[in-house]
Amino acid sequence: MNEVRRSTATLEVRGLDVYYGHSHALQGVDLTLESGVFSVVGRNGMGKTTLCKAIMGLVGVSGGSIRVRGEDITRRPPAQIARLGVGYVPQGRRLWRSLSVDEHLQLAGGMRSGAWTVERIYDTFPRLAERKGHGGGQLSGGEQQMLAISRALLTNPHLLIMDEPTEGLAPVIVAQVEEMLLQLGEDGDMSVLVIEQNIGVATAISRNVAIMVNGRINRIIDSGRLAADRDLQQRLLGVGLHAELEPDIDLAESGPEVKPAPAPQRDGPIRIYISNPTLPTRWSQPVPIARIEASARTVSTQVTRPEETTQRRREPAATQTAGPPVVLVVGTLDTKATELRFIRDIIAAAGLRTRLVDVSTGGRHCSCDVSAQEIALNHARGGSAVFGADRGAAVTAMADAFANWLRRQDNIAGVISAGGSGAASLVAPAMRALPVGVPKLIISSVASGDVGPYVGPADITMMYSVTDVQGLNSISRVVLANGANAIAGMVKARLDQRVATARQAGSLPSVGITMFGVTTPAVQKIAAELRDDFECLVFHATGVGGRSMEKLVESGQLSGVIDLTTTEICDLLMGGVFPATEDRLGAIIRSRLPYVGSVGALDMVNFGAPDTIPDRYRGRKFHVHNPQVTLMRTTAEENERMGRWIADRINQMDGPVRFFLPEGGVSALDARGQPFWDPEADAALFRALERNVRQTANRQLIRMPKNINDPDFAAAVVSAFRTLFGRTGARRRLAR
């Protein structure tokens, strides 16, 4: 009996018809949900909400059947359907304004016993626990949606129906809802039918997606294909264009390619008329001519073609701005006002908008566009944390406040600063947080020394000031003017070429790949296999290389990562010269990008010339790579330590993960017959990973009896990446 129940589909809809008066809202809908999460997408008015209401018994069914776990629920009362194990999160949440959060949950909690309790809800949604005494009308949109979902979960349903669960929510809340849906699907305790218009969410949570057009299920399509194909989205869903409503759209290419005729060139103002200012449904009335005329608009340039709109949507985040571009001139105006205004005036004379930003810590008001007091309010503890007696603490706090303020600006075309070590320390962390590609320039008296602590993994340009930045003189005028003109030139060139650059480089998704000399053959093979479909960005694993790659991940400029060479972790834990930071893999954890990793070059710690090796390592196995680089073979104990460290980071990854273990050696030096060949040390690394990584369907370790540079190993990595790409993170980036 139990076996029969497991083989029965959670939801089976056959030939479902629903009418509103004479309007045929659902027209013979067929849909099966075996288990997990399944998405239904479509434009407004296509019948998605009606389908939800029909399943819940909230609208009358004219024909067809609805079965939940084999039991016919067609035309049953809504309360009975709910008691049979069908939960419902309606569009618009439908909360009681007068009832508190806790009262909502207590009411729902007694319907069906199961794993979901009020206590578990509060553990899952801590924000609801904080707001348990507040009424439904006092909650934010995200909190209301949490409560609506929680109310449905407390019925402990076999089937959960969610109608537009991310509608009207902030992006950060959308991400939380999406993560929760993925977790529900992985847990397997219930099946979830999600009605969505956000294609990014729909394709991220479901392997296949049903397209609803004119009251019918037009087709069921692989979500990876739908997420990656903008033209297909336009044809089926009207993303950017009106959808083609014919039920039999031929998606396959047939016959010779037909090149469209070139668009006519138009000069001068153009009047654009929209025949349907509001997207039509099958109940729409003809639009009056007066309304069409009122909705027309005039543009002064050539009409933007649909493909250009699509391309702009796929530009990297680094190129998108939400206002007129502006160049920030940043510094301590209490001591460098003359010099900073000199720079500001040169940039403004070049025709660029500027904002003068004060990051002084003295607390004195200065004439500028953004005051130090305004910046200080962005510190987590407010202005009082910035303006204190301890100058060092004040500078650190102001740097944090400025970084927080800068992250909230979305129209930054460039940033320039001038000053000494204090000013450089103030502005550099915020500059490093900006996407790669945004021009960043620091003129400083410390720029002739070690600039690594200031630049880090970012593309910051540092210019030596020659004289101290203290007043204007014949030398400082030239140097400051050169810096001002340099930032102006970079900004103008970038703004002028942004669209062209996006067309050239933005058409293919970018993948980051880490490489070392001893893993070069594998990386070359992987890049060659992927280059037709991906822009492959290779990073040399010298400490800053991994940080640079993760910087691009944080900036939203990578669609996936093949972290073949994790050797920087060796140097972090063992004191080598190419160390990662403790945040290595942190960007992958936070972004949930598709991640394919391996243990490339974990057999070696990097040191300089032989006489620089720490005394504690004397007597170990070494290989002299060149006069300035000496490699030390890692031991079994060190490999076990690295395995535990990496496993801890992998366990924090919620995105799709495949991590490869090459049993034939982790580098070219670790192949049979080579100087670092040590199967026992490698086995210790692999055992530590397998013992500590919590493997799931989404997070897997894969052993292969090959050396990391073997062509078959590279082919397996490529295959795994292609399988993962288009799931959670990548789909979301391509579809939104």
Side-chain angles (χ1 to χ4, degrees):
M1 182 67 181
N2 290 338
E3 186 65 27
V4 172
R5 181 176 292 273
R6 280 196 295 270
S7 64
T8 302
T10 302
L11 173 66
E12 189 175 17
V13 178
R14 290 289 175 265
L16 191 63
D17 287 300
V18 172
Y19 284 84
Y20 291 128
H22 296 291
S23 297
H24 200 173
L26 295 184
Q27 305 176 18
V29 171
D30 289 323
L31 184 68
T32 300
L33 170 55
E34 296 287 349
S35 61
V37 182
F38 188 75
S39 300
V40 178
V41 301
R43 293 193 292 111
N44 286 335
M46 293 296 107
K48 305 188 302 298
T49 296
T50 300
L51 174 61
C52 295
K53 291 181 176 180
I55 296 171
M56 290 303 303
L58 298 172
V59 296
V61 173
S62 301
S65 66
I66 306 168
R67 292 181 178 272
V68 174
R69 304 182 78 183
E71 186 165 353
D72 193 338
I73 64 168
T74 314
R75 301 182 183 86
R76 292 198 185 186
Q80 187 177 355
I81 292 173
R83 292 192 184 95
L84 288 172
V86 183
Y88 184 38
V89 182
Q91 185 178 19
R93 294 120 192 181
R94 302 290 181 88
L95 303 176
W96 289 285
R97 298 178 61 86
S98 59
L99 293 185
S100 69
V101 168
D102 197 60
E103 288 169 336
H104 274 92
L105 299 181
Q106 296 297 339
L107 278 175
M111 180 177 293
R112 286 168 50 88
S113 61
W116 285 97
T117 63
V118 174
E119 291 74 22
R120 183 180 176 185
I121 290 295
Y122 285 143
D123 288 339
T124 305
F125 300 105
R127 184 60 176 164
L128 292 183
E130 297 172 8
R131 308 274 281 172
K132 63 189 302 182
H134 290 71
Q138 297 175 291
L139 305 180
S140 68
E143 292 165 346
Q144 289 181 6
Q145 189 66 351
M146 290 180 196
L147 181 55
I149 294 171
S150 300
R151 183 178 58 185
L153 290 175
L154 279 174
T155 67
N156 286 286
H158 304 304
L159 170 65
L160 179 61
I161 301 172
M162 305 182 75
D163 191 2
E164 303 285 3
T166 66
E167 182 181 36
L169 300 184
V172 65
I173 305 299
V174 170
Q176 292 175 8
V177 172
E178 183 179 310
E179 184 175 353
M180 187 208 67
L181 290 171
L182 285 168
Q183 189 61 52
L184 288 176
E186 288 184 2
D187 290 346
D189 295 334
M190 68 183 72
S191 299
V192 187
L193 178 67
V194 179
I195 307 299
E196 258 298 345
Q197 287 200 73
N198 186 325
I199 298 175
V201 173
T203 54
I205 62 177
S206 174
R207 183 178 298 276
N208 296 304
V209 177
I211 310 294
M212 202 159 192
V213 176
N214 269 355
R216 297 187 181 95
I217 299 297
N218 177 278
R219 66 186 64 246
I220 297 175
I221 187 170
D222 178 78
S223 55
R225 182 183 178 192
L226 180 62
D229 193 333
R230 179 66 69 171
D231 291 336
L232 184 58
Q233 294 172 27
Q234 291 176 344
R235 295 174 64 191
L236 293 176
L237 300 170
V239 179
L241 298 172
H242 292 334
E244 297 180 13
L245 301 182
E246 291 78 16
D248 297 316
I249 302 173
D250 184 10
L251 300 180
E253 295 182 4
S254 60
E257 181 181 357
V258 179
K259 295 184 178 180
Q265 297 292 324
R266 300 181 175 92
D267 297 320
I270 298 170
R271 190 76 168 161
I272 299 177
Y273 292 89
I274 305 172
S275 59
N276 289 291
T278 301
L279 288 178
T281 69
R282 51 193 173 282
W283 300 292
S284 299
Q285 297 299 315
V287 180
I289 296 297
R291 186 177 173 201
I292 295 175
E293 180 66 31
S295 298
R297 56 192 174 90
T298 301
V299 295
S300 58
T301 58
Q302 188 173 343
V303 176
T304 301
R305 294 186 294 276
E307 60 269 24
E308 293 174 339
T309 302
T310 300
Q311 187 62 59
R312 280 199 296 272
R313 287 176 180 169
R314 293 177 63 173
E315 289 179 28
T319 66
Q320 297 175 356
T321 58
V326 63
V327 179
L328 301 183
V329 182
V330 188
T332 53
L333 286 176
D334 57 352
T335 59
K336 303 290 186 289
T338 302
E339 298 87 337
L340 293 170
R341 291 192 175 98
F342 177 78
I343 293 171
R344 188 260 326 262
D345 293 343
I346 292 174
I347 297 171
L352 295 170
R353 294 178 69 250
T354 63
R355 295 181 77 186
L356 188 59
V357 181
D358 185 18
V359 289
S360 305
T361 58
R364 181 165 59 88
H365 285 273
C366 301
S367 176
C368 57
D369 298 310
V370 183
S371 69
Q373 287 71 25
E374 180 180 344
I375 297 296
L377 291 175
N378 289 270
H379 193 277
R381 300 195 305 275
S384 60
V386 175
F387 303 115
D390 186 333
R391 185 177 183 277
V395 168
T396 301
M398 179 60 86
D400 291 342
F402 179 56
N404 292 337
W405 177 84
L406 194 62
R407 289 188 189 98
R408 297 184 173 98
Q409 312 308 305
D410 50 11
N411 60 342
I412 305 303
V415 185
I416 184 172
S417 180
S421 60
S425 299
L426 274 170
V427 301
M431 287 188 180
R432 291 196 297 267
L434 287 173
V436 171
V438 176
K440 318 164 187 73
L441 193 150
I442 298 175
I443 305 171
S444 178
S445 54
V446 300
S448 66
D450 179 11
V451 299
Y454 302 103
V455 175
D459 56 338
I460 296 174
T461 301
M462 293 196 72
M463 178 182 289
Y464 181 46
S465 61
V466 183
T467 64
D468 196 3
V469 183
Q470 186 62 50
L472 296 176
N473 53 57
S474 59
I475 300 300
S476 64
R477 285 179 183 273
V478 173
V479 174
L480 296 177
N482 283 343
N485 284 305
I487 195 77
M490 286 189 278
V491 169
K492 293 175 75 172
R494 185 167 181 267
L495 293 176
D496 291 343
Q497 298 174 9
R498 185 172 58 193
V499 175
T501 301
R503 287 175 179 168
Q504 294 169 6
S507 57
L508 293 178
S510 297
V511 55
I513 310 175
T514 51
M515 184 184 79
F516 219 40
V518 291
T519 60
T520 297
V523 171
Q524 289 177 334
K525 174 69 173 175
I526 291 168
E529 291 291 330
L530 293 176
R531 68 165 52 99
D532 289 341
D533 302 307
F534 298 89
E535 182 185 25
C536 296
L537 307 181
V538 179
F539 299 86
H540 200 185
T542 56
V544 73
R547 291 161 61 197
S548 296
M549 181 186 71
E550 296 202 45
K551 166 70 175 175
L552 291 181
V553 170
E554 298 275 31
S555 300
Q557 292 173 263
L558 293 182
S559 297
V561 168
I562 300 179
D563 199 4
L564 195 78
T565 312
T566 46
T567 186
E568 295 162 328
I569 296 169
C570 268
D571 288 19
L572 169 67
L573 299 182
M574 265 51 89
V577 296
F578 296 148
T581 67
E582 288 290 346
D583 194 45
R584 183 71 166 89
L585 303 177
I588 311 299
I589 293 169
R590 292 184 288 273
S591 68
R592 300 169 57 221
L593 280 187
Y595 177 81
V596 176
S598 189
V599 289
L602 287 186
D603 57 329
M604 59 188 64
V605 183
N606 296 271
F607 295 110
D611 59 359
T612 66
I613 298 172
D615 290 339
R616 67 181 183 276
Y617 291 132
R618 301 295 178 183
R620 293 282 294 273
K621 181 184 291 186
F622 294 100
H623 177 78
V624 179
H625 182 66
N626 62 49
Q628 301 303 319
V629 177
T630 307
L631 310 176
M632 181 181 74
R633 195 5 166 145
T634 51
T635 65
E637 293 77 15
E638 290 166 344
N639 275 276
E640 183 177 358
R641 180 183 174 192
M642 288 187 290
R644 293 196 303 268
W645 194 95
I646 294 171
D648 177 68
R649 306 300 280 171
I650 291 176
N651 287 335
Q652 298 177 54
M653 296 180 184
D654 292 328
V657 176
R658 300 292 183 271
F659 200 83
F660 283 81
L661 308 179
E663 297 174 335
V666 302
S667 79
L669 292 178
D670 186 32
R672 186 180 298 275
Q674 295 301 312
F676 281 178
W677 172 246
D678 189 344
E680 292 183 4
D682 292 344
L685 172 64
F686 301 157
R687 282 196 305 271
L689 283 163
E690 290 179 326
R691 288 172 180 169
N692 292 281
V693 171
R694 296 191 297 272
Q695 297 194 58
T696 66
N698 213 32
R699 181 193 302 132
Q700 298 178 15
L701 298 179
I702 302 171
R703 274 186 181 253
M704 287 196 67
K706 303 289 183 181
N707 182 271
I708 197 168
N709 289 310
D710 191 288
D712 290 343
F713 186 85
V717 168
V718 169
S719 176
F721 182 76
R722 288 189 181 278
T723 300
L724 293 189
F725 186 80
R727 294 180 63 188
T728 311
R731 287 182 185 173
R732 186 163 55 247
R733 291 182 184 281
L734 287 174
R736 284 181 182 169

